[in-house]
Amino acid sequence: MLAIATCNGSSNALGACPTPVAGSREGDMIDDLRDRAPFPILYPCSLPAGQTLESVSVTGPAGRQQAEMVFVGPFDLTLRQAEFPPPVNPDPTGASRTLVDLQPNVRATFIQVNDGSSKALYHLYWSMHGVYHELQAVGPPLQQRTILMIARSLE
């Protein structure tokens, strides 16, 4: 069983999504990412306990830029937000593909591979407000709800 924690950070309004503390390593990385990205960057309000932001980047030419956040912990997790749709390869052998409702009027494609080992592959992608989102994770099997919770918590 995984515990879920919100960020050890601050928020400006009561009930707002907590973000990494300003001036912390993670806070500085998010500020840098938001300064460089040409679109609003969403941050997950809920992450599995022990999940930490490892790196951020913005890549690509104007009009085709992508922002990426990499988290480490119980999941090796990458969250991408971009001006263009993610390339989607054929499903891996043994994968299951479903459509899920993340929010009202927001459908996502959810691909999962659970081969019976101690690690499963999760790939979730969707478009919202003109920005393409992609969440890829490798981590404990049978954690579909955790992956969907992370995606639904973006603010």
Side-chain angles (χ1 to χ4, degrees):
M1 175 181 241
L2 285 176
I4 303 301
T6 57
C7 306
N8 293 330
S10 62
S11 61
N12 294 332
L14 186 62
C17 177
T19 56
V21 176
S24 69
R25 179 180 162 273
E26 292 86 1
D28 290 346
M29 284 193 289
I30 293 300
D31 287 346
D32 178 58
L33 186 65
R34 287 183 170 146
D35 288 345
R36 293 188 297 139
F39 45 84
I41 296 296
L42 302 180
Y43 190 84
C45 295
S46 296
L47 289 165
Q51 204 74 45
T52 58
L53 183 61
E54 179 71 18
S55 66
V56 299
S57 65
V58 175
T59 58
R64 286 198 52 84
Q65 290 192 313
Q66 167 180 287
E68 182 174 279
M69 291 179 270
V70 176
F71 298 85
V72 295
F75 292 89
D76 292 331
L77 190 145
T78 301
L79 178 61
R80 292 183 190 92
Q81 299 169 60
E83 296 176 303
F84 58 93
V88 179
N89 298 319
D91 293 352
T93 302
S96 67
R97 176 188 285 249
T98 56
L99 293 176
V100 296
D101 292 319
L102 282 182
Q103 298 176 4
N105 299 316
V106 177
R107 292 205 81 164
T109 300
F110 195 11
I111 301 168
Q112 303 172 64
V113 179
N114 185 356
D115 62 5
S117 69
S118 63
K119 297 285 182 182
L121 171 72
Y122 305 95
H123 185 190
L124 184 68
Y125 57 95
W126 68 100
S127 175
M128 185 170 62
H129 307 300
V131 176
Y132 294 90
H133 302 269
E134 180 180 24
L135 191 158
Q136 289 186 309
V138 175
L142 306 175
Q143 295 296 317
Q144 299 89 335
R145 283 190 286 206
T146 300
I147 299 301
L148 291 172
M149 182 228 28
I150 293 167
R152 288 179 174 135
S153 77
L154 291 177
E155 287 188 19

